[in-house]
Amino acid sequence: MCKRYNVVFVLAFLLLMMAMPVQSYAYRSVDDAISWAEDQKGSGAYNDGVYNYCWTFARDTYAGPAISGVGSAIAAWNYNGSILGSRHSDSDIPRGAFVFFAATSSNGGYGHVGLYVGNGKMIHAWPKTVGQSSVNSGGKYLGWRWPVAWTPDSPHDDPDDPDGSLSLDKVQGSKEGKDDWENSFELSMDDIYDMDFRAKLVQEDGAWPSDTEAFFYLSLDKKLDSGDIFLGSKERNLTKENAKKRSIYLEDVDMSDYITSSGTYYVLTKVEFDGGEDKSSSSDSKQRVKLIVSDVPVPDLTLQSLRLNNGSISLNGQELYGMTVNVRNIGEASAKNRFRIKYEISGPDVTDQWRLIADDGFDSVPLAPGNDQIHSTNDSFSAAPVAEGEYRLRACVDYKKTVSESNEGNNCTETTVFVSSAETELKAMHRFWSTKNKAHFYTIDEDEKNLVINKYTDYEWKYEGIAWYSYDTPHDDALPLYRFWSKKNSSHFYTISEEEKEHVEATYTDYEWEYECVESYAYDYQKEGTVPVYRFWSKKNSAHFYTISKAERDAVIEKYTDYEWLYEGVAWYVYPTPTALNPVYRFYSKKNRSHFYTISTSEKNNLILNNAPEAWKYESVGWFAYTYGQGNTLPVYRFWSATNKSHFYTISEEEKDYVIANYSDDEWQYEGTVFYAYKNWEFGTLPVYRFWSKTQNAHFYTASEAEKNDLIANYPDVWQYETEAWFVPQNP
């Protein structure tokens, strides 16, 4: 621990000081201080076997004498005298600065300090000896201070480039004394006020130039020329400051002395400095101040909101949609001319940056100041997005410029929507048995299933489970499955045959067989992944029965007579489980510096809808996997670490059991199976590669060979390649 001196340890400290090198207190340059510190590496002179005297070592690097009342690192950090410079909490630490760390139990409550030598390293008196280590190893970082009284050098000095270079970042203005800096102002001829201006500069290389002067001009266009009006200049020596960005101010400019008529003006800047090329305002709008001076009040149209007509922030692929916008006049006069609104889209399958999808024409009426108008387009845009991903929608009011406005730059607004794959999902077909009616009932409608369960007793209709999976909307060449109800027999009948449907409708009364609806969609041939549905007829019960189970089919045939249950053959083909390949979605959290993977559409949509991009940003489909196990696939397990703020995935049963047994829930909490993949290579599969980052405390998984090779070649210090995590089918 880094110890403060006190009465108890006076004797030990005096003995230790006798063994320490004697200092001449001839103050040192940064290079000399670091050189002296380098020579002390391995020395035990600053440790008495119990405590190490880190602050004594730090000031000795500059041959600095003791400071009254300052006997520990934390005391030096809190010291308010003139020997040490200001406290800085940023990570842009100058070479030669003292770096300070918080007081903790591990350092006896006295904090810690070291001499920063560059490249993230410091030399410090640590337990046992003086040594060099990473700044990150010192504990909770407080900041840095400069030994201003002990060295002639300044922070960030570069002896090879005493006069460096700079660039012009921004030119901004403010109403005099308001300190509210902007790039654009609206004035009227009866209210032209005094203004302050500033040129914000950025250090490019070397040290700051010693002599820098900013000249400010008033122009009628966006570039400097000889006809511009000189407003004034200000000179400043920038070398005495530490920030990477600095500003030169021109204050108390009476604009009424220069602006004599309405119009648009620009305040531009030219910066001159020693040893470099002059920097002037460019075409970049942030390098000029725009002044709009009006004679009379004018309207200003803005869009307060833009949303989908359905109220959602997501769409399915090829889903028709429309948009609604709220137009508001925030100006001081009515917008009497009719204006037009255009709607545009940008996203994965849009080749241009913005594609026009609608123009509502002159669908507007005069809009008074402070009032709103709601404009909508219908749900039939021909540019419905197809590819999955993030899209931007944009609306622009008065894009034909029929209304003269005080501000033409606030007429557009954007919103983001996420488009999911247009692929139809398989739905469960639910099966019921009625002891009362001696008949089965099948439905794909979840609401109808729940209604039957809640409304009827098990004697009337008992839920038996999922019979099979099929589509509830049209899908490729699947055919409609028609449903009939017989009030006479109290039973249902299902058929995929168009001829059989027409025969029933033509032959029987509604009392005998009434057509109800298309229950679902199925196939009249055995498509890959499907199984047959076997059909029985009971003359005894006047009811049909359907099953995909061969065992159930064979048991019924063997146990019952044809009068009880007559086997009629294969009725159609469906899926036994929803095992079609599904995308595994990949997200990145800038906040947590980790990735997240899920096959769940609802989990994906929840992250997109309820999280800011910096929390969880959708990146792409990482690979394809199975929602349910099939063939040789095995479950892939997921863990969450509240400590590391990251997820961990493994297909290894042994690794899963080891993590559960050896780590707490805070370290790694088991979340269950997330999808199914292959543990070993099989024909038609590709590997998913696993990396571990010690610096980010996170795993990363990718099926991209190029991404794997890039990490191995270019980021070996950040990402360590571990193994082939599992194998997945090649992208369909």
Side-chain angles (χ1 to χ4, degrees), residues 373-394:
Q373 283 182 13
I374 303 299
H375 292 253
S376 295
T377 58
N378 58 32
D379 295 321
S380 60
F381 285 170
S382 59
V386 176
E388 182 175 82
E390 190 174 85
Y391 288 76
R392 288 183 297 158
L393 301 176
R394 180 170 72 175

Side-chain angles (χ1 to χ4, degrees), residues 647-722:
H647 288 84
F648 168 59
Y649 301 77
T650 182
I651 200 171
S652 167
E653 194 77 25
E654 295 78 12
E655 193 170 34
K656 177 203 76 172
D657 293 341
Y658 178 83
V659 172
I660 292 173
N662 290 280
Y663 292 93
S664 68
D665 283 350
D666 285 340
E667 294 173 300
W668 290 111
Q669 182 177 6
Y670 178 60
E671 292 189 329
T673 300
V674 285
F675 52 81
Y676 288 78
Y678 298 96
K679 187 172 184 179
N680 300 306
W681 180 88
E682 295 196 8
F683 183 78
T685 65
L686 50 85
V688 172
Y689 305 105
R690 181 171 117 183
F691 289 81
W692 165 251
S693 173
K694 187 175 181 180
T695 60
Q696 299 184 17
N697 290 323
H699 283 86
F700 172 65
Y701 303 81
T702 180
S704 166
E705 189 77 22
E707 193 169 34
K708 179 201 78 170
N709 293 337
D710 179 62
L711 291 180
I712 293 174
N714 298 312
Y715 303 95
D717 295 335
V718 180
W719 290 106
Q720 178 185 353
Y721 175 68
E722 288 190 328

Side-chain angles (χ1 to χ4, degrees), residues 32 52 90 130 187 231 317 405 460 477 575 665 691 710 724:
D32 289 343
N52 63 294
D90 61 88
V130 172
L187 302 88
L231 298 178
E405 301 181 63
E460 295 170 293
D477 56 348
Y575 292 92
D665 283 350
F691 289 81
D710 179 62
E724 293 174 341

Side-chain angles (χ1 to χ4, degrees), residues 239-252:
T239 60
K240 297 181 179 180
E241 304 174 43
N242 298 325
K244 283 294 184 182
K245 290 187 178 181
R246 303 171 189 175
S247 298
I248 298 180
Y249 296 83
L250 182 66
E251 299 174 319
D252 302 333

Side-chain angles (χ1 to χ4, degrees), residues 2 52 54 73 99-102 107 110-114 122 124-126 138:
C2 194
N52 63 294
C54 56
V99 285
F100 290 87
F101 304 89
N107 58 41
Y110 302 112
H112 191 61
V113 63
M122 65 177 176
H124 56 140
W126 203 234

Side-chain angles (χ1 to χ4, degrees), residues 299-315:
D300 186 8
L301 300 178
T302 64
L303 293 177
Q304 297 297 306
S305 64
L306 171 63
R307 60 180 177 82
L308 293 174
N309 286 352
N310 61 10
S312 175
I313 59 173
S314 63
L315 293 167

Side-chain angles (χ1 to χ4, degrees), residues 146-168:
W146 190 254
V148 293
W150 294 343
T151 179
D153 294 339
S154 299
H156 299 292
D157 274 353
D158 186 346
D160 297 326
D161 188 8
D163 279 325
S165 182
L166 56 78
S167 63
L168 178 61

